[in-house]
């Protein structure tokens, strides 16, 4: 197993790995400070805090699948009548952000560890990959089913992408710092990433073996900052002849809102719509749901 010259725990950095003999690839991640920074933007109750932590971990894992610079991954879950009306997270070049819209009055009636059904009811999960041209955008939408978001993402790959996939996520919210760790493993029957899959067998012996090994990971292992993630991978897949590991991008809170961006967005609206946005004090106020910042733009400073 190749060594990695980074911090041993690899907090807030994606880890990519492959098992060549089994035609499998994977991603692993453990989030700490970047997660606390994202969660600090809102005073979320414990249930929402845990849900967003899980969603951010999944976003980091999925974002690590992107190859091109400036490619973006968006994970979105929503429903019309659930406690949570919208959950959205995205990843772009290591920048991450996310937020949750929910009904606070209904949430207080739920237990501290509510089921996915209790939070979303009949909901849907959408995963969008925005690649630079000529590839463009691809999106898959599946019912929001499973015990947790990790299972829902696993189901997405099985149903929408037809890729045998194992996803595991664990969260530690008891300590001073919230830590979430995740593992994603996939089987590529053609043996290489980026090629068209000629056939997919969910019961392929190679995949069954790797799925059993990956599925043996313990929640405590995923969130233990004293256990380097590369050591965990070696522990899980030690029966394989070779496990290739590469460190990916550093992960940071990356809300893209700023005054110039807000001005550019407002400028795209017709003159009549911009006039409707102006308040009695002659300004346009914009709230960023991701970072909880408020931007006040003077209407006189805008080009009409």
């Amino acid at each position: 197993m190749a060594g990695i010259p980074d911090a041993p725990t690899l907090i807030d950095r994606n880890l990519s790995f492959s098992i060549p003999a089994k035609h499998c690839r994977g991603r692993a991640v453990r989030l700490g400070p970047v997660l606390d920074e994202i969660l600090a933007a809102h005073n979320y109750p414990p249930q929402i805090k845990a849900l967003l932590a899980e969603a951010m971990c999944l976003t980091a894992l999925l974002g690590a699948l992107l190859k091109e610079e400036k490619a973006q991954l968006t994970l979105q879950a929503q429903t019309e009548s659930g406690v949570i009306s919208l959950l959205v997270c995205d990843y772009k070049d290591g920048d991450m952000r996310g937020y949750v819209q929910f009904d606070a009055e209904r949430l207080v009636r739920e237990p501290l560890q509510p089921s996915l059904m209790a939070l979303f009811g009949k909901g849907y999960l959408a995963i969008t990959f925005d690649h630079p041209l000529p590839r463009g955008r691809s999106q898959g939408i599946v019912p929001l089913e499973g015990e947790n978001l990790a299972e829902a993402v696993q189901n997405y790959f099985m149903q929408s992408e037809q890729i045998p996939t194992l996803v595991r996520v664990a969260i530690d919210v008891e300590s001073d710092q919230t830590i979430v760790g995740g593992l994603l493993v996939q089987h590529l029957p053609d043996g290489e990433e980026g090629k068209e899959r000629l056939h997919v067998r969910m019961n392929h012996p190679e995949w069954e073996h790797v799925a059993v090994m990956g599925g043996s990971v313990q929640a405590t292992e995923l969130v233990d900052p004293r256990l380097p993630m590369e050591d965990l991978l070696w522990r899980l897949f030690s029966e394989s002849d070779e496990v290739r590991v590469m460190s990916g991008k550093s992960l940071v809170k990356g809300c893209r809102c700023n005054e110039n961006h807000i001005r550019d967005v407002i400028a795209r609206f017709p003159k009549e719509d911009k006039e409707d946005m102006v308040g009695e004090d002659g300004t346009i106020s914009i709230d960023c749901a991701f970072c909880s910042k408020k931007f006040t733009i003077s209407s006189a400073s805008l080009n009409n």
Side-chain angles (χ1 to χ4, degrees):
M1 181 171 182
I4 300 174
D6 293 302
T9 56
L10 288 172
I11 292 284
D12 295 344
R13 181 181 291 272
N14 272 316
L15 200 65
S16 300
F17 67 95
S18 64
I19 308 173
K22 300 298 183 183
H23 298 158
C24 287
R25 70 173 178 182
R27 304 292 184 264
V29 71
R30 184 179 289 145
L31 303 179
V34 66
L35 179 62
D36 279 339
E37 190 176 358
I38 291 171
L39 293 174
H42 299 271
N43 187 24
Y44 289 121
Q47 303 99 315
I48 302 301
K49 184 177 180 180
L51 181 74
L52 185 55
E54 181 184 13
M56 294 309 304
C57 182
L58 292 167
T59 300
L61 290 171
L62 296 173
L65 297 175
L66 299 170
K67 298 297 184 182
E68 309 97 332
E69 293 292 329
K70 298 184 179 180
Q72 181 173 330
L73 176 284
T74 303
L75 182 149
Q76 183 171 316
Q78 64 184 86
T79 180
E80 296 181 358
S81 58
V83 173
I84 293 175
S85 55
L86 177 65
L87 163 69
V88 59
C89 306
D90 71 32
Y91 170 105
K92 185 176 183 180
D93 293 330
D95 290 355
M96 300 178 61
R97 60 181 184 172
Y99 77 97
V100 185
Q101 291 179 354
F102 62 98
D103 187 326
E105 293 184 359
R106 293 175 59 188
L107 182 66
V108 296
R109 298 195 291 268
E110 298 294 337
L112 286 178
Q113 295 182 326
S115 66
L116 205 62
M117 176 62 72
L119 290 176
F120 287 94
K122 184 178 180 181
Y124 294 88
L125 174 71
I127 298 179
T128 306
F129 293 91
D130 283 299
H131 302 277
L133 296 175
R135 291 186 64 184
R137 170 177 292 190
S138 63
Q139 183 183 67
I141 300 176
V142 295
L144 195 58
E145 298 174 342
E147 292 297 318
N148 47 47
L149 282 177
E151 281 194 20
V153 169
Q154 183 173 283
N155 291 338
Y156 161 84
F157 280 106
M158 296 289 198
Q159 298 174 29
S160 183
E161 299 290 330
Q162 293 291 296
I163 302 176
T165 301
L166 172 78
V167 182
R168 295 289 184 270
V169 173
I171 309 165
D172 179 7
V173 295
E174 301 299 325
S175 58
D176 293 336
Q177 180 183 82
T178 302
I179 297 178
V180 58
L183 175 72
L184 180 150
V185 190
Q186 297 182 316
H187 187 229
L188 304 176
D190 61 2
E192 293 185 36
E193 296 187 38
K195 290 186 177 181
E196 181 180 358
R197 296 182 300 277
L198 300 180
H199 66 281
V200 175
R201 284 179 54 190
M202 298 298 178
N203 63 344
H204 195 290
E206 290 179 349
W207 171 243
E208 289 183 336
H209 180 70
V210 172
V212 169
M213 293 190 294
S216 69
V217 67
Q218 300 297 308
T220 52
E221 295 175 312
L222 287 172
V223 298
D224 185 355
R226 299 164 299 178
L227 174 61
M229 292 297 280
E230 62 271 29
D231 288 356
L232 174 57
L233 293 175
W234 177 243
R235 179 186 297 180
L236 292 172
F237 305 109
S238 59
E239 295 182 20
S240 302
D241 293 335
E242 182 183 14
V243 181
R244 299 176 183 173
V245 181
M246 295 176 293
S247 180
K249 290 181 177 294
S250 296
L251 303 172
V252 298
K253 179 187 176 184
C255 192
R256 295 181 288 279
C257 66
N258 56 60
E259 186 168 323
N260 289 335
H261 175 70
I262 298 297
R263 288 178 178 276
D264 289 343
V265 172
I266 295 175
R268 299 171 192 166
F269 285 87
K271 180 180 178 180
E272 294 77 13
D273 291 345
K274 287 188 285 187
E275 291 175 349
D276 290 339
M277 298 178 191
V278 179
E280 295 182 356
D281 61 354
T283 65
I284 298 176
S285 295
I286 303 293
D287 294 321
C288 176
F290 287 101
C291 65
S292 197
K293 291 181 180 178
K294 184 174 182 179
F295 296 86
T296 302
I297 309 295
S298 169
S299 61
S301 68
L302 295 172
N303 295 322
N304 296 323

